[in-house]
Amino acid sequence: MENKVLLYLALASSLVGLLIIYIASQNVQPVVTPTGKITFDDVGKNVQVCGKISSLSTSKTGHTFLILEDHTGEIDAIVFNTSKINVDGLKKGDNTCLLGKIDNYEGKLEIIPKEIR
Amino acid sequence: MFFEILVFIALGVVAGVVAGLLPGIHPNTIIVLMLGALPFLSAYPLHAIIAFIISMVVVNTIVNFIPSVFLGAPEDDTALGVLPGHRLLLEGKGLEAVYLSVVGGIGVVLLFVLTLPVLVKVLPYAYGIIKNYIHFILLAVVTVMIATEKGVQKFWGLVVFVLSGILGIVVLNSYLVQPDYVFFPLFSGLFGISTLLISLNDKTRLVAQIKNFGVVEKSVAIIGSIKGFFSGLIVGILPGMGSAQAGTLVQIITRKRDDKEYLVSLGGINTANALFALAALYTIGKTRSGAAAAVEKLVESFGFNELLLLTGVALLSAGMGAIVTLFLSKRCLFLIERLPYDKLSIAVIATLIVLTIIFAGLYGILILAVSTAIGLIAPLTKVKRSLLMGVLILPVVLWFFGLI
């Protein structure tokens, strides 16, 4: 195949493909996982957990710590002060969903949210 | 405990070789599996497990260049190495390309050990100064890269950088593929399959490979290792910087289009990156890699004893990694020379597609296809393929500017 034709094909595929990936990314989110089902095998994976905020506090350095509980258990979450997530409106007792990565901190599982819905 | 440490180093070497040879298996994957198995490993000394992690990571950085050069199947750390490495392979110098990267790896380990007493004092200050300017440094690097293209290629350089950058922003901020596997389709498409497709389209034939290429020039080995060492230093302590960005930095700073010296540097950067990320635990108390994070989780604090252990294990495993790589690269070459290159390229492409389905599912295939299309634009317009690193650089820069 001529290089010029290949270039136009590559350009067209890139643009159309980026659009498709963008649309897909707006519609795909991790399925809701009960907190009690999250294990150390899930470390490094993106998950979504939904439930009620049973504890909420902010450290002096600006990190926000919360505990989310559902009918199967609970999980710690930490929103770092460098995160773009707005935690101002959150309060204890709110029902919410956290989307983020599972981490193992000193032998305990926690979620680092990328989004709070 | 000494015997147990030696046994775990040997196991680390084996794991590092496996992770290095198989595209898609990153040491972080093995570390995650291992941390999951910690309850079963609790009978062994913690320092032996740390030795396993360090030796696996160091050996992996050295062995990684075999699939990069011979098959054009890079991981993120070796993505840039595949370009000059593949070029040398097509000139019959594939074995030399792997040797050069091994020289860089060994050179950097020696420099690391020699300079460690000074580094321990200097690193915290250097980190404090540079950390606030990383996005400006990256932006300056990209600007120079595009500005040094000729004529209309400046435009194409910008197109390649922006398209790969948008791909990175969309994919890395999505939930399409699990974080551990998202780089596999991205880098296999941008640097791997696109390279192989161009070779197939040009009907490239693998020329007879030179087995006796003489000795690596001293100046190439020393200067390449020093460049790799300092670039690895930047990568190892700064967030958001990967080996490929550091490789780009080397290209820009030196402005020298010497593939051999560049490969020595890249070999060095990968190993230096791994070592400095671990040393950063001691000097600045920050985790900068999956391995460092795992080590931090294992020990209460990364003290001077751990630093000494790191140094010893790094020296031993780098030596073992080099011997294994030199041995295996000759065997790989023997196989590759006996297989038709076009069929081999098709087989590698098919393997990358199958591995993408296994690791990243159908969305992974979509990402692989788009990455391949974007990856084709750079060689077809004859602009620097390192601009494809926009896939990581643009998201990092925008994040530091607070725009995403």
Side-chain angles (χ1 to χ4, degrees):
Chain A
M1 193 186 290
E2 266 191 54
N3 279 356
K4 212 171 184 179
V5 177
L6 198 56
L7 173 63
Y8 290 142
L9 263 177
L11 258 179
S13 309
S14 304
L15 294 172
V16 174
L18 277 176
L19 187 67
I20 295 171
I21 290 180
Y22 175 74
I23 293 167
S25 70
Q26 297 302 301
N27 294 299
V28 173
Q29 56 185 39
V31 289
V32 177
T33 308
T35 57
K37 292 237 167 116
I38 296 172
T39 67
F40 283 92
D41 289 341
D42 296 313
V43 171
K45 287 184 186 165
N46 281 324
V47 299
Q48 179 173 194
V49 288
C50 295
K52 190 187 279 184
I53 298 174
S54 62
S55 166
L56 182 72
S57 62
T58 305
S59 71
K60 281 179 190 166
T61 47
H63 305 311
T64 302
F65 298 90
L66 50 101
I67 298 175
L68 191 86
E69 63 175 30
D70 61 11
H71 62 283
T72 63
E74 60 178 33
I75 188 160
D76 291 354
I78 175 168
V79 181
F80 292 109
N81 57 6
T82 50
S83 170
K84 304 284 183 290
I85 296 174
N86 183 6
V87 288
D88 291 343
L90 288 180
K91 56 183 185 300
K92 194 176 164 184
D94 278 356
N95 278 307
T96 189
C97 289
L98 310 178
L99 286 88
K101 202 161 126 175
I102 295 294
D103 191 28
N104 171 5
Y105 181 70
E106 293 181 346
K108 203 173 175 201
L109 292 169
E110 63 180 20
I111 181 168
I112 315 288
K114 288 182 193 168
E115 276 179 68
I116 296 181
R117 289 179 179 170
Chain B
M1 188 164 84
F2 180 66
F3 176 72
E4 279 147 325
I5 288 179
L6 285 183
V7 171
F8 272 75
I9 290 174
L11 290 173
V13 171
V14 174
V17 170
V18 172
L21 283 181
L22 298 177
I25 305 291
H26 194 274
N28 284 356
T29 314
I30 297 177
I31 289 170
V32 169
L33 290 174
M34 213 185 71
L35 288 179
L38 263 186
F40 306 102
L41 294 171
S42 58
Y44 300 98
L46 217 47
H47 286 86
I49 300 172
I50 293 173
F52 171 88
I53 293 175
I54 295 169
S55 63
M56 174 174 69
V57 170
V58 170
V59 169
N60 175 73
T61 62
I62 296 173
V63 177
N64 239 337
F65 275 89
I66 295 179
S68 276
V69 171
F70 290 145
L71 302 177
E75 289 187 3
D76 52 346
D77 289 347
T78 50
L80 287 181
V82 75
L83 313 177
H86 208 75
R87 199 154 48 227
L88 284 176
L89 177 76
L90 297 178
E91 289 170 11
K93 299 172 183 169
L95 202 56
E96 188 174 3
V98 177
Y99 274 46
L100 288 165
S101 63
V102 170
V103 167
I106 293 288
V108 154
V109 173
L110 293 175
L111 283 171
F112 177 80
V113 174
L114 288 173
T115 56
L116 198 59
V118 181
L119 285 173
V120 167
K121 301 279 178 209
V122 173
L123 271 185
Y125 293 106
Y127 175 72
I129 295 167
I130 304 172
K131 69 175 181 185
N132 296 324
Y133 303 103
I134 181 66
H135 43 315
F136 294 109
I137 296 171
L138 286 173
L139 211 53
V141 168
V142 173
T143 308
V144 174
M145 280 170 77
I146 294 173
T148 50
E149 293 289 355
K150 287 176 192 142
V152 72
Q153 280 163 302
K154 283 188 178 60
F155 165 77
W156 284 114
L158 186 65
V159 168
V160 166
F161 180 76
V162 171
L163 282 179
S164 55
I166 294 172
L167 178 71
I169 291 166
V170 175
V171 171
L172 299 176
N173 288 306
S174 74
Y175 300 102
L176 295 172
V177 175
Q178 288 294 353
D180 277 353
Y181 301 116
V182 71
F183 290 109
F184 185 73
L186 277 177
F187 285 98
S188 295
L190 287 172
F191 296 99
I193 294 185
S194 56
T195 304
L196 295 169
L197 284 179
I198 294 280
S199 296
L200 281 172
N201 194 48
D202 293 346
K203 302 197 168 39
T204 303
R205 299 211 171 277
L206 197 62
V207 297
Q209 297 291 307
I210 301 161
K211 274 96 185 172
N212 299 312
F213 44 80
V215 289
V216 177
E217 279 175 52
K218 254 188 211 162
S219 61
V220 169
I222 294 171
I223 296 171
S225 297
I226 291 173
K227 283 177 185 171
F229 177 78
F230 283 105
S231 307
L233 179 65
I234 296 171
V235 180
I237 60 172
L238 288 178
M241 284 282 277
S243 297
Q245 285 99 319
T248 311
L249 211 61
V250 172
Q251 267 184 328
I252 303 294
I253 293 168
T254 60
R255 298 292 305 276
K256 197 173 174 185
R257 291 183 178 272
D258 181 340
D259 280 349
K260 292 184 181 179
E261 191 185 292
Y262 185 53
L263 272 167
V264 173
S265 297
L266 272 178
I269 288 170
N270 290 336
T271 312
N273 180 15
L275 292 175
F276 285 123
L278 286 159
L281 275 177
Y282 177 73
T283 53
I284 57 175
K286 303 271 182 195
T287 52
R288 291 282 171 258
S289 72
V295 169
E296 193 190 32
K297 276 168 195 163
L298 289 172
V299 288
E300 290 283 314
S301 66
F302 195 86
F304 189 69
N305 282 338
E306 284 76 21
L307 194 65
L308 273 183
L309 176 72
L310 158 69
T311 313
V313 174
L315 267 176
L316 180 59
S317 47
M320 290 167 81
I323 293 167
V324 172
T325 303
L326 299 183
F327 173 80
L328 286 176
S329 54
K330 279 185 182 168
R331 296 292 170 281
C332 288
L333 199 64
F334 179 82
L335 280 176
I336 284 169
E337 277 191 321
R338 273 147 192 81
L339 296 166
Y341 189 67
D342 52 348
K343 290 199 173 65
L344 189 69
S345 297
I346 292 167
V348 174
I349 292 172
T351 308
L352 291 174
I353 291 171
V354 171
L355 287 175
T356 298
I357 293 172
I358 293 170
F359 291 131
L362 289 178
Y363 285 118
I365 291 293
L366 177 62
I367 295 168
L368 182 74
V370 179
S371 306
T372 303
I374 296 175
L376 283 169
I377 298 173
L380 289 172
T381 54
K382 296 187 170 47
V383 300
K384 293 183 200 80
R385 292 180 71 170
S386 42
L387 282 165
L388 291 164
M389 287 312 295
V391 72
L392 291 183
I393 295 175
L394 193 58
V396 168
V397 168
L398 293 183
W399 189 86
F400 272 102
F401 276 115
L403 296 172
I404 56 170

